């Protein structure tokens, strides 16, 4: 069971470039989330989804977009990369009925230069 | 959302029991308390969750007093591999906006 898989693991972008961070889970979880973590800080919620076709903003959504066309996939899109988006991005999922907390991916380290 | 307060850092030695306390004075009736562990360059990992009294699993124990305004994560006989950041989260499990604070950086020394 792979859990939550994120790709790529590392990426360097130039200012103004765009990219998509991929997130896939194989646990059939309805709920999926994107967080960012700046150095020495806690995680901040960017976007979340409660099921295919449904997404909503979190604490820090500006500069990002998401889509949820399937239960398994929840990609995060950066349209015009800025240095302030340099961070580690984590995708997570959970199944509310089990109350076992979130399962996180291993993260994508993004540097915008 | 309930605000949580944890110590920024703690030191311990191998074999000792470590207790990390989290304060959450404005916890709501529907809120649960959840602890995560994060190693460098990894995503957080769920440790334990509770609502009241005591919860124990193979990794840790969680103690919650009757007023629920604080909670204590107890790690028995820590090893070097328990060096990590530990996060306390308080919120309704049906709330999609679970927020992580800065956490407690635990360093276990030999």
């Amino acid at each position: 069971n792979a859990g939550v898989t994120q790709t790529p693991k590392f990426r360097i972008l130039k200012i103004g470039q765009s990219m998509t961070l991929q997130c896939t889970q194989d646990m059939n979880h309805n709920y999926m989330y994107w967080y960012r973590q700046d150095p020495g800080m806690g995680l901040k919620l960017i976007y979340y989804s409660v099921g295919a076709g449904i997404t909503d903003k979190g604490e820090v959504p500006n500069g990002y977009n998401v889509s949820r066309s399937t239960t398994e996939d929840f990609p995060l899109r950066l349209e015009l990369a800025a240095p302030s988006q340099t961070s580690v991005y984590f995708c997570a999922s959970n199944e509310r009925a089990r109350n076992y907390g979130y399962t996180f991916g291993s993260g994508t380290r993004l540097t915008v230069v | 959302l309930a605000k949580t307060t944890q110590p920024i850092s703690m030191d311990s030695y191998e074999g000792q029991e470590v207790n990390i306390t989290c304060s959450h004075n404005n916890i709501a009736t529907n809120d649960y308390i959840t602890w995560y562990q994060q190693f460098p360059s990894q995503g957080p990992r769920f440790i334990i969750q509770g609502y009241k009294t005591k919860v124990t699993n193979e990794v840790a124990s969680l103690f919650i007093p009757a007023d629920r305004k604080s909670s204590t994560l107890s790690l028995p006989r820590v090893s070097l591999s328990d060096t990590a950041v530990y996060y306390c989260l308080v919120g309704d499990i049906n709330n999609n906006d679970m927020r992580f604070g800065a956490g407690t950086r635990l360093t276990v020394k030999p």
Side-chain angles (χ1 to χ4, degrees):
Chain A
N1 213 348
V4 177
T5 302
Q6 291 184 237
T7 57
K9 292 190 182 303
F10 305 94
R11 183 73 184 268
I12 298 175
L13 279 182
K14 294 184 178 180
I15 294 172
Q17 286 186 322
S18 62
M19 77 164 293
T20 299
L21 282 67
Q22 302 291 345
C23 176
T24 299
Q25 54 93 5
D26 61 359
M27 298 171 285
N28 202 34
H29 287 171
N30 284 324
Y31 299 85
M32 296 187 73
Y33 312 83
W34 274 105
Y35 286 88
R36 61 176 285 173
Q37 185 174 35
D38 298 331
M41 306 294 286
L43 285 75
K44 293 186 177 180
L45 182 65
I46 305 172
Y47 270 95
Y48 65 91
S49 169
V50 300
I54 306 170
T55 63
D56 209 343
K57 298 178 180 179
E59 185 182 3
V60 290
N62 292 341
Y64 307 94
N65 280 300
V66 293
S67 60
R68 185 91 183 274
S69 58
T70 66
T71 299
E72 296 78 18
D73 300 309
F74 189 39
L76 178 71
R77 178 81 176 166
L78 283 71
E79 291 294 349
L80 292 171
S84 61
Q85 293 177 305
T86 293
S87 190
V88 180
Y89 292 83
F90 290 103
C91 179
S93 72
N94 78 331
E95 178 52 61
R96 292 290 170 80
R98 299 191 67 199
N99 295 343
Y100 285 163
Y102 297 178
T103 299
F104 281 84
S106 57
T108 294
R109 184 176 296 274
L110 176 67
T111 302
V112 181
V113 297
Chain B
L1 291 173
K3 177 179 168 55
T4 60
T5 303
Q6 305 173 233
I8 294 175
S9 64
M10 295 180 65
D11 290 342
S12 182
Y13 291 91
E14 283 189 293
Q16 290 188 332
E17 178 184 72
V18 171
N19 295 310
I20 306 175
T21 297
C22 180
S23 297
H24 28 81
N25 291 321
N26 60 338
I27 188 169
T29 302
N30 292 333
D31 288 348
Y32 278 72
I33 300 153
T34 310
W35 286 81
Y36 287 84
Q37 174 192 55
Q38 185 179 28
F39 297 114
S41 301
Q42 295 186 25
R45 181 176 74 102
F46 171 85
I47 300 176
I48 198 165
Q49 185 178 76
Y51 183 80
K52 62 180 179 181
T53 63
K54 177 183 175 182
V55 180
T56 298
N57 62 23
E58 64 278 6
V59 176
S61 295
L62 178 59
F63 298 93
I64 307 167
D67 66 5
R68 302 201 327 123
K69 293 183 183 300
S70 67
S71 58
T72 299
L73 174 72
S74 181
L75 304 172
R77 298 180 298 281
V78 294
S79 64
L80 297 177
S81 62
D82 292 315
T83 293
V85 178
Y86 291 83
Y87 296 98
C88 166
L89 278 73
V90 174
D92 189 329
I93 57 174
N94 293 311
N95 183 357
N96 294 301
D97 194 5
M98 296 295 284
R99 301 195 180 186
F100 288 74
T104 298
R105 185 173 300 274
L106 172 66
T107 302
V108 180
K109 302 176 182 180

